[in-house]
């Protein structure tokens, strides 16, 4: 597989994920856009702008790439999506692409925007298609950043991405529509995806990446329990997956179970109340079902 | 429960402890003294100066607070102590509040201080009570920091907190008495503590915090041992807690035990000498007995 | 044991290793070259320049020291090597000491260098012995750094250490010989090594250090497997060490095995293909066979 | 003169001012609250908390001190004010001490506050006197910072200092009165001020400090002008101070004048229009009239 | 005048220039793309991407803007150039926009590039016009950065800007043509430029900016000289501008002259040899002829 | 002239001095030990370790070098000293090379040291000559730094450089003799110094460097004075150099004089008292008598 990874804001999180997935990306000395992964399934690694990645994957210059849904749509690229990557609970908010106008505008929905409306956007193609679908003739201009600064004197509205809406609000804009919800995705070239060997390799890659991401939100809980309290304790354990139970040499059982971090604050006290002893929380680095 | 956490020097360690205890404190965007914990037992979180926390908890503005024993005493607040928090071996030194005079002074005990002695302290109330008990009329002045800089020309002695005594020594002062030994404590409003539901919730909170702190100084040791060496190996394991023993499919036993980090340097070589094989040290994130 | 650790470029990695080995080095307050380790086997710790360590260990001022092979050779010190320390895969490249000349020189092997050749080196003794052995009369000068900057106008060749050769290439030099390959080593005073108690303590020290270093490149893999797939799964596990197998209360087996990180990217997908379920990767802090 | 300078937020600006005034403050090695100024008029320099400085100067422990008007008032200290220090245009905003209530409160003036009002303030004495004058019985509590965080649940109003009001607004509070406007001031002990020698030295100190501060906002403008355009050019020069005019050997005049930086953008083009040539702007370090 | 300044790589140098020109740009609190200059000639200041500035100035949204020649050309904007800004000797290198191919390509001039050549560029319009003029049908693709990384597998050549050519050489590319040489320029809207008041204001703005930039490379030299050596000394002074000479009260002359910094190393020794005494070099902040 | 400048602790101050002297040192791109100065008198610039510079200058590899007196003595190099460089008042303390022993040693003078004394020093040659002169047989060992850490167990005394003696005192050592006082010096090859052209160029170089250093401690004072007060004002001006006096067109005199910064705090108030008006302090960049 030839793989292309995103340079810029997604770069650090992506490289840390591959490192944690035991697929460390080693940059070639001297040039920072070529790299290697020591894995027989990976022939080549490049680190390029996420804006350009969908086209390169669609054209077959690479078999697999990581980029945002926003750029896949902007470039209308024909690629296969292998799945989303939610780097962590803290940063896994999807990015929304929204239409926003001046806060004191009387317009409250995109369809009210008049013909000739001046639109500033870093996504001109997607924006054009959006307004075409609405039947509005828009004067779309390529923005090189900080589009929100242009309303109302330089543009009448913006089509911008936002995570929390804070920057838009701070600039005094109101969101009147959501064009797209965008996650980071792993995409594949359609032809490569038809190749059985490559598709198997892609599946294994996703196993490692997904297993690493899932482990970030979970821990391994170990506990001992006497025979009498066994059922009570098992009853308290979240049921998503059956726990691993082994008999102790001295009687009673050792139980191991993977639990979501965000429920630990309730599960541990409940287990203790139910009779579990010697509870241990052990961090895990990867989990594969 | 409404909880109040300490701003300032204890802030980072406290927030890291709650994060590690799977009770992450999320600050409200925009204001840095309001926060939330995603837990049904926690209704409200505020981050305020430790000096003011004992009064707020005593008055019932909060059910639970974290602050230092020094401020509980300075403010003579009636609160229930749920336990001390020793953030880590490195920083769990208690803080001592001491009386110090000029290094070349002839005074060697607090009782020798004369009436009218000028005392500089950030703890004026506690200092006044201290000297009253000694029967000395002291001229106590509120210090806004660096009290040690004021001896001998601006003050005759100081009542200051110190961890190692280094700052006092560097300023040429001698310690002549210890007024108080102060740890970070979790405190509760007495009335809230009478409420059964709240007291149960407080106990569960302490379970999570204590379990996290205890895990910082311990590790999980895993080892295999043949039947013949079993007793010898078990004999070497520190006896605080009985190890978890399970029989291996291929004969022999798998043993797991939690061991204090600071004894590992002796325990591992001893276990190996006794016949243990395949020793593994696994980090743990929480331990609840 | 009196121990001497290297100040400078190896300092941080060494102190981190001792910390991870549960032998934390606590610096004495005020002076940064004296320290202690809370261990009955360690009487004294000093942190000094690696250049001077071999002599001090050879003379018996210390029982054990950590330094580079290059300085052991430069100082012709008689010490016992207890083993090499490869701090991590990333930084465990050996350092090579090489002979380099101007890139446009016609000389391609050290033996072609003429009598009177001007040699710049931070290792003058080792360099002198090297040229004596070659039968070349060399004008060796002590370099205080950046020797490569001196060719060709200030020196005709350099004897320098290099990890990747990059600095030499950037300065336009060509390597024509390798004098030495140098690792970080733990060395002991020969007499101390004869003392049985001390030799035993040295062995235990190496057990802790080696166990910590080995754990950096490995993880614990836990998985469940039904009886039918057991052989297939075991067959896929790397065979270096037999896995720990215990029977589950509900049927099937729980398998634990230590696996090298750099093979995980292949092993986990293979195990899953063979029928393993509930694979967990758990980080480990120490491994002792 | 014994001088006491403020530690903390004013410290850096004060030390930079003294350095620029050619009165560099040299800290004593090892202790950071003692210093010296190499000047026969200065016997001793201490760096202490601004809160405590008014009292020390009033009591005669120091002849001269630098602190804020707010602390002079809080401590009701009897001192002589030698003048204000406006460190620079950017930071010379006075600090206002204001009364603020919850933004949604119906109270719009301090006199509407009810008896028993809970007031949080870092200036309890000043606050008590303020409410006494208003005839309101207030429950004043010493705040250790972030008072604005306490409204409305912990306090009903705050008496706080603010430069721009931004922090108060961000916390949702409304200012309903201004208690005090506070500048940084140079203060003197009244008795020392009666001493003629000391008063002369204080005057010279103020000459150097004021001359340095004034120079920060001004530049020296040099220009040449022919006899015919002389009157026109002089007419354009700001009239605050008569310019220095000297005749050039080759005819015409050389004119030098000190001009405020913030008018340069208009003065230079106007001077050029009026016939001035060879205009030069030269930075100045001190100006004394 | 409404002014638009460039955000990004030119931002800091531009704001520092305006500050030094006594036209400090004060950002509006909260938003970072609106600002003000306290000057009656300046009605509004915006800070926007240099790519968008030429269009906004051409359309009359702003009277004056600062941007690079490259973006003026890319956008084919009709604007009036008021002059170049060379921020300093160190950074006043013009930026060149060049055509570059793989270093091992046999193509040595742009005209040899074949039809269908894949070109990566951040300047697609300019690139298209360039190839049209050459009569080559080029497949031009918008690059989002690091174009040089795309040759030879993703693109056949790049049209990129470069200061020193180093990044291109490091990527193994060869420059085969220069499309454009680009400086930072002050541009004006053509209609605004016809307005006499505005043109006068623009001229005054350029006087302040140019006067500040010129002063960076010059110093004021002051010296005294006796009558006998006067001619010799004057003869040594660089002749670009006649020096200001005034007679000293005690005989002899005081001479002042502005001299380029880069000639000082020769001029000062020469002046001293010719008989000048009391030479002083004084820094200047602005110079207007 | 070929010039060699010191790498390391003196590097930054040296490069800043050359920059201020209008002799900016431009490093060659890619290599950090080659540089150029755009001056017809300077053919080549190298930046090398100060330890090696005396030898290279003595051997004629360079005409001029900058290094410390300590290394000139250690290497017994025959060079001509062109003068000392005192970079600034703050850092112009000479470095002293001292002999120090354990603080509790009974030895109070170097001559009391016994034969066989173990001496640790970074200056072995100079140390050997020193002890030879004293008639003491010393066991001198090359130290690679932190020599003070070696007393008393590894060495009996050290020969070390020190600026303030603080590090030695902190390590508990007592200074018993001063071997050498060392300044940074400009040195020349004796043969080059005989060459008249080169000696003239060296003199001009020193004029620029000395003129720059002298200007750091001085300022230009400008003032006006009426005829009646003229003598009084002139009488107050420090007499080192006669002031420049010119008659003002409007009567009275304009006086300019260079004054030492460290006397300004006394001179300005005195001048004002004597009747001077419109005092201005102007920074200067260079002064040549």
């Amino acid at each position: 597989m030839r793989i292309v990874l995103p340079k810029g804001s997604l770069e650090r999180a992506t490289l840390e994920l591959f490192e944690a997935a035991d697929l460390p990306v080693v940059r070639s000395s001297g040039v920072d856009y070529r790299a290697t992964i020591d894995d027989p399934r990976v022939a080549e690694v490049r680190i390029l702008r996420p804006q350009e990645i969908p086209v390169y994957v669609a054209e077959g210059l690479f078999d697999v790439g990581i980029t945002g849904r926003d750029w896949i749509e902007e470039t209308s690229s024909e690629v296969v999506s292998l799945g989303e990557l939610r780097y962590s609970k803290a940063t896994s908010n999807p990015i929304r692409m929204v239409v926003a106008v001046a806060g004191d505008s009387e317009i409250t929905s995109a369809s009210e925007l008049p013909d000739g409306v001046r639109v500033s956007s870093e996504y001109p193609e997607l924006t054009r298609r959006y307004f075409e679908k609405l039947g509005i003739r828009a004067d779309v201009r390529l923005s090189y950043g900080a589009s929100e600064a242009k309303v109302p004197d330089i543009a009448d509205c913006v089509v911008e991405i936002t995570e929390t809406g804070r920057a838009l609000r701070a600039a005094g804009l109101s969101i009147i529509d959501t064009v797209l919800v965008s996650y980071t995705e792993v995409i594949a070239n359609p032809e490569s995806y038809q190749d059985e060997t490559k598709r198997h390799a892609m599946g294994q890659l996703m196993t490692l990446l997904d297993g690493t991401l899932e482990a970030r939100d979970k821990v391994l809980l170990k506990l001992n329990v006497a025979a009498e309290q066994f059922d009570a304790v098992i009853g308290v354990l979240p049921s998503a997956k059956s726990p691993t139970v082994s008999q102790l040499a001295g009687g009673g059982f050792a139980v191991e179970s993977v639990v979501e971090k965000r429920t630990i604050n309730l599960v541990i006290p409940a287990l203790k109340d139910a009779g579990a002893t010697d509870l241990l929380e052990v961090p895990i680095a990867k989990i594969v079902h």
Side-chain angles (χ1 to χ4, degrees), chain A:
Chain A
M1 289 187 292
R2 285 154 300 145
I3 298 183
V4 56
L5 303 179
K7 204 176 180 56
S9 62
L10 293 172
E11 186 173 354
R12 195 174 148 185
T14 304
L15 297 187
E16 283 174 358
L17 171 60
F18 273 73
E19 167 93 33
D22 292 314
L23 295 163
V25 177
V26 180
R27 284 168 182 275
S28 309
S29 83
V31 285
D32 70 343
Y33 42 84
R34 284 181 193 275
T36 54
I37 293 175
D38 181 15
D39 184 302
R41 292 163 299 209
V42 179
E44 187 192 352
V45 180
R46 290 289 279 276
I47 302 173
L48 296 169
R49 291 272 159 207
Q51 295 95 327
E52 308 178 3
I53 286 178
V55 175
Y56 297 156
V57 172
E59 290 185 351
L61 290 164
F62 298 93
D63 299 305
V64 174
I66 292 180
T67 185
R69 171 55 48 185
D70 49 351
W71 294 109
I72 303 169
E73 296 296 327
E74 167 69 12
T75 57
S76 308
S77 299
E78 288 191 26
V79 294
V80 178
S81 178
L82 298 181
E84 294 169 357
L85 294 182
R86 311 203 174 184
Y87 288 119
S88 80
K89 246 193 304 188
T91 68
S92 67
N93 290 324
I95 286 171
R96 286 187 307 140
M97 190 179 302
V98 299
V99 186
V101 296
D104 55 4
S105 164
E106 293 182 358
I107 288 172
T108 58
S109 101
S111 57
E112 300 170 29
L113 289 166
D115 277 351
V117 61
R118 296 171 306 165
V119 188
S120 181
S121 178
E122 296 184 53
Y123 303 86
E125 292 307 326
L126 207 156
T127 300
R128 263 180 216 117
R129 292 201 305 271
Y130 170 81
F131 279 102
E132 255 171 45
K133 212 177 283 175
L134 284 178
I136 298 170
R137 262 179 294 110
D139 175 7
V140 180
R141 283 141 177 244
L142 176 57
S143 168
Y144 287 83
S147 308
E148 73 275 10
K150 293 164 197 157
V151 172
D153 44 359
I154 298 174
D156 300 312
C157 78
V158 300
V159 174
E160 274 252 20
I161 54 168
T162 180
E163 251 189 275
T164 62
R166 201 177 307 165
L168 292 170
R169 272 196 306 276
L173 302 201
S174 297
I175 295 175
I176 58 172
D177 197 11
T178 295
V179 179
L180 188 81
V181 173
S182 174
Y183 279 97
T184 302
E185 288 186 30
V186 187
I187 56 176
N189 175 270
E191 230 165 290
S192 305
Y193 189 71
Q194 292 310 317
D195 177 312
E196 205 162 327
T197 316
K198 285 190 175 174
R199 188 163 64 232
H200 192 239
M202 290 171 190
Q204 292 187 330
L205 174 67
M206 292 309 289
T207 293
L208 290 167
L209 297 180
D210 284 342
T212 304
L213 286 175
E214 190 182 343
R216 288 185 180 174
D217 293 333
K218 302 202 168 155
V219 292
L220 175 64
L221 213 56
K222 297 167 71 87
L223 60 89
N224 292 346
V225 60
E228 311 82 79
Q229 277 98 31
F230 183 79
D231 288 342
V233 161
I234 292 295
V236 169
L237 271 177
S239 60
K241 177 177 141 342
S242 65
T244 298
V245 180
S246 50
Q247 204 151 357
L248 292 177
F253 297 94
V255 179
E256 291 188 4
S257 184
V258 172
V259 178
E260 282 193 65
K261 262 188 200 168
R262 63 181 185 77
T263 66
I264 278 286
N265 55 339
L266 298 176
V267 169
I268 283 188
L271 286 169
K272 205 189 157 194
D273 288 356
T277 61
D278 302 318
L279 284 116
L280 281 189
E281 181 185 318
V282 175
I284 56 178
K286 220 166 273 142
I287 173 167
V288 176
H289 301 289

